[in-house]
Amino acid sequence: MIRSMTGFGRAEVTAETIGVAVEARSVNHRHLDIALRLPRALASLEIEARHLVQARLERGRVDIAVQLAAPPGLSEQTIALDAALARQYVERARALGDTLDVEGDVTLTWVLERPGVVRVEEAEVPEPSHVWIVLADALGRALDELVARRTAEGEALAGELRVLHADLQSTVELLAARAPVAMARRAARLRERVTVLLAGGVVDEGRLLTELAVAADKADVTEELARLRAHLEQFTQILDKGGSVGRQLDFLLQELNREVNTIAAKADDLELGQSAIAAKGILEKVREQVQNLE
């Protein structure tokens, strides 16, 4: 299966003592670049989480955000009371009242309002080994959805590439059909030039042979067309094989562009030149699509 590098996945997994929510997003990138955001309590599990992502994906910028949540019925925070500190507040307040000869007693409300007596703390996180089981499950499910979406988009891209491949193949056949006509026209012009040289009475045979060799080399695109056809066949094979094909197709596009550029440079025929320009336009569209593939 051919996959794109763009996708999204989300999953939540809840155990008895902890819940984990994971969101995974990916976009185009030349290599696999993982940005992993974990809560501080799960920082020790970063290496394991990265390995899990690396085992599923080969290319793309992947952003993964992990959040902790308490299971239903449990709070994510707990209340802690500092009884020793509260006792000091009470004792010091009463002692101050006696010193100042001020009447009044300390109330519970007043004590609870004193700084440090009541603290709201994050719930204690279970052991890393237990948390990893939950995190790996949630991360795996999020990656499943991410990969499924990347696969669906990749198949759509593959369909577009096959259409562009057919257009390019047709254009190459137009080039092949026009090439002999262009060569015949060049040969006719060359004969005219030779006639002019012969009319002068003295012919520099070395120069004549050089002119013939240069003209023949400039006009002949047989090898370029043969390589184009071979590259197009390889293009189809790569698409049929599937998998991580982005780098292979990108390299093959460079070869296709090289051959088309050579034909365009050699072309001194209007229709041949126009077909070469059309081929370059199609290759640019192919490149845009290939950049999205894993």
Side-chain angles (χ1 to χ4, degrees):
M1 302 289 284
I2 292 177
R3 301 190 305 205
S4 78
M5 288 188 283
T6 304
F8 172 81
R10 189 179 192 282
E12 294 184 21
V13 174
T14 301
E16 293 182 359
T17 57
I18 194 171
V20 175
V22 177
E23 285 190 359
R25 305 172 185 270
S26 67
V27 294
N28 300 351
H29 197 275
R30 290 187 62 187
H31 309 288
L32 180 60
D33 181 17
I34 303 171
L36 186 59
R37 297 192 297 278
L38 291 171
R40 184 176 300 177
L42 304 185
S44 62
L45 301 175
E46 180 174 353
I47 295 178
E48 290 88 342
R50 284 185 177 275
H51 288 166
L52 190 59
V53 178
Q54 291 167 350
R56 301 292 303 277
L57 305 172
E58 295 187 38
R59 293 180 72 196
R61 161 77 182 191
V62 185
D63 290 290
I64 296 177
V66 179
Q67 291 182 329
L68 284 175
L74 295 179
S75 175
E76 297 181 16
Q77 297 177 320
T78 59
I79 295 177
L81 299 176
D82 193 331
L85 181 61
R87 186 175 293 106
Q88 290 187 52
Y89 275 121
V90 172
E91 293 173 353
R92 298 293 173 85
R94 286 174 176 171
L96 181 62
D98 293 341
T99 300
L100 300 178
D101 195 20
V102 176
E103 295 184 358
D105 200 4
V106 177
T107 65
L108 178 61
T109 300
W110 180 86
V111 174
L112 292 175
E113 291 175 346
R114 297 311 94 199
V117 174
V118 180
R119 299 191 307 275
V120 178
E121 300 178 341
E122 297 296 327
E124 184 177 352
V125 178
E127 289 295 320
S129 58
H130 175 69
V131 177
W132 170 244
I133 295 175
V134 181
L135 174 58
D137 189 8
L139 181 54
R141 295 186 187 188
L143 290 173
D144 286 342
E145 183 180 354
L146 176 70
V147 170
R149 295 193 179 189
R150 284 169 60 133
T151 301
E153 185 174 336
E155 288 301 303
L157 289 174
E160 294 179 18
L161 285 172
R162 292 185 189 279
V163 172
L164 290 171
H165 175 274
D167 293 342
L168 185 58
Q169 202 160 31
S170 298
T171 304
V172 170
E173 294 309 315
L174 288 175
L175 286 169
R178 186 62 188 176
V181 178
M183 290 181 65
R185 292 182 60 182
R186 181 180 286 272
R189 291 197 301 271
L190 183 58
R191 281 194 295 270
E192 293 176 1
R193 295 179 65 183
V194 171
T195 300
V196 172
L197 288 173
L198 291 176
V202 178
V203 178
D204 186 336
E205 293 187 3
R207 180 184 173 187
L208 180 57
L209 291 174
T210 300
E211 290 282 349
L212 290 171
V214 170
D217 182 64
K218 286 185 177 180
D220 190 6
V221 293
T222 304
E223 292 185 5
E224 287 80 4
L225 288 170
R227 285 192 291 267
L228 272 176
R229 289 189 175 107
H231 293 332
L232 287 173
E233 178 62 27
Q234 187 179 2
F235 195 98
T236 300
Q237 292 173 0
I238 292 174
L239 286 179
D240 291 341
K241 180 184 67 176
S244 181
V245 301
R247 287 192 180 94
Q248 298 177 63
L249 291 178
D250 187 57
F251 175 77
L252 191 58
L253 273 177
Q254 297 177 36
E255 299 300 313
L256 285 164
N257 269 303
R258 183 178 293 111
E259 302 303 337
V260 171
N261 286 334
T262 302
I263 293 175
K266 287 185 174 183
D268 65 346
D269 175 82
L270 178 60
E271 293 185 18
L272 190 64
Q274 289 176 338
S275 295
I277 292 173
K280 293 172 69 173
I282 296 171
L283 285 173
E284 178 59 25
K285 293 179 181 179
V286 173
R287 186 189 65 82
E288 292 174 357
Q289 300 300 338
V290 167
Q291 286 184 337
N292 297 320
L293 295 180
E294 183 178 34

